[in-house]
């Protein structure tokens, strides 16, 4: 189906499952070339990255580990600032090569915060892999090491990404119809 409706919005098919998987093949080839012997820990950011993480990991042929984390924000008791925390990361990161697995980089704020949190846990080299990247939305100074696909600055759903919790189950990616 080329057009779908989720809640109040219409979405049109924009990246087929076949094109998504071909882009992931390409990222995996680059990782298989670069990360042999690095013994990396992949850190996948839930919820959005679950499909990307699964299809990427199946294509890697070197020893590696993966951990799934959630970014949680809460209000500290002594300050009014909200504090971000990585929930679910129990591995020792000391000096470890860490590869972040993200669904989409938009302004880059989330990735900047995740990098700070991983550094504060002692991570060594930190690399970013993302399924999607909106170059025209980027506002932070970030080096993205592995990008499967660049997309325009429009809202998308599917293949793990949601609109108000729905649409994560779609195997293709859809763009909102304005
Ligand atoms: P950033 O911090 O880079 O501005 O935003 C990253 C986060 O915003 C992503 O992890 C994702 O959760 C959400 N996001 C950004 N753009 C989109 C989009 O087009 N669709 C969906 N579903 N989420 C998005
Ligand atoms: Mg995300």
């Amino acid at each position: 189906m080329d057009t779908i409706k989720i809640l109040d919005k219409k979405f049109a098919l924009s990246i087929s499952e076949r094109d998504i998987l071909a882009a992931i093949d390409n990222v995996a080839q680059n990782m298989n070339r670069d990360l042999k012997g690095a013994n990396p820990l992949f850190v996948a950011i839930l919820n959005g990255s679950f499909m990307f993480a699964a299809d990427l990991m199946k294509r890697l042929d070197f020893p590696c580990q993966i951990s799934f984390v959630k970014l949680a924000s809460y209000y500290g008791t002594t300050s009014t600032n909200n504090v971000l925390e990585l929930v679910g990361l129990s591995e020792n990161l000391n000096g470890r090569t860490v590869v972040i697995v993200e669904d989409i980089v938009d302004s880059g704020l989330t990735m900047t915060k995740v990098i700070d949190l991983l550094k504060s846990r002692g991570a060594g080299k930190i690399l970013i892999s993302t399924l999607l990247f909106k170059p025209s939305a980027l506002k932070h100074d970030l080096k993205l090491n592995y990008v499967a696909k660049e997309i325009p600055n429009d809202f998308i759903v599917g293949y793990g990404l949601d609109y108000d919790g729905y649409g994560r189950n779609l195997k293709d990616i859809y763009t909102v119809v304005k």
Side-chain angles (χ1 to χ4, degrees):
M1 220 186 359
D2 281 6
T3 330
I4 56 164
K5 193 160 186 259
I6 301 177
L7 302 175
D8 59 328
K9 289 194 196 318
K10 269 168 87 177
F11 293 86
L13 180 65
S14 58
I15 312 174
S16 68
E17 179 185 35
R18 196 176 140 205
D19 288 356
I20 296 167
L21 294 177
I24 296 174
D25 274 339
N26 196 44
V27 166
Q29 268 176 31
N30 293 335
M31 288 182 175
N32 285 333
R33 179 197 64 207
D34 299 344
L35 298 174
K36 256 184 189 48
N39 185 32
L41 173 68
F42 286 81
V43 172
I45 315 295
L46 292 173
N47 294 320
S49 73
F50 76 99
M51 283 201 190
F52 175 41
D55 282 322
L56 177 64
M57 293 302 284
K58 286 184 252 180
R59 290 166 168 76
L60 301 181
D61 63 10
F62 52 87
C64 58
Q65 295 176 320
I66 186 164
S67 195
F68 291 85
V69 305
K70 255 195 164 169
L71 204 53
S73 79
Y74 61 92
Y75 288 92
T77 46
T78 53
S79 105
T80 51
N81 289 341
N82 76 342
V83 183
L84 271 181
E85 199 183 28
L86 280 178
V87 180
L89 192 61
S90 53
E91 285 79 1
N92 178 356
L93 300 189
N94 265 335
R96 191 99 191 251
T97 295
V98 172
V99 185
I100 300 167
V101 181
E102 176 64 310
D103 51 359
I104 184 165
V105 175
D106 189 78
S107 72
L109 179 67
T110 309
M111 276 305 94
T112 315
K113 302 223 153 139
V114 170
I115 287 172
D116 288 345
L117 290 167
L118 292 170
K119 277 186 184 155
S120 73
R121 299 256 203 133
K125 197 172 185 180
I126 301 171
L127 302 169
I128 301 176
S129 67
T130 185
L131 175 69
L132 301 164
F133 173 41
K134 295 176 176 172
S136 61
L138 189 68
K139 291 199 187 82
H140 293 262
D141 184 24
L142 264 191
K143 182 176 187 315
L144 301 179
N145 304 88
Y146 302 97
V147 175
K149 261 195 174 302
E150 294 193 354
I151 58 167
N153 193 9
D154 298 311
F155 187 77
I156 57 105
V157 293
Y159 196 75
L161 290 105
D162 73 304
Y163 171 47
D164 210 6
Y166 292 94
R168 295 192 195 278
N169 54 306
L170 298 165
K171 62 184 171 49
D172 309 291
I173 288 172
Y174 292 77
T175 301
V176 74
V177 178
K178 284 179 250 179

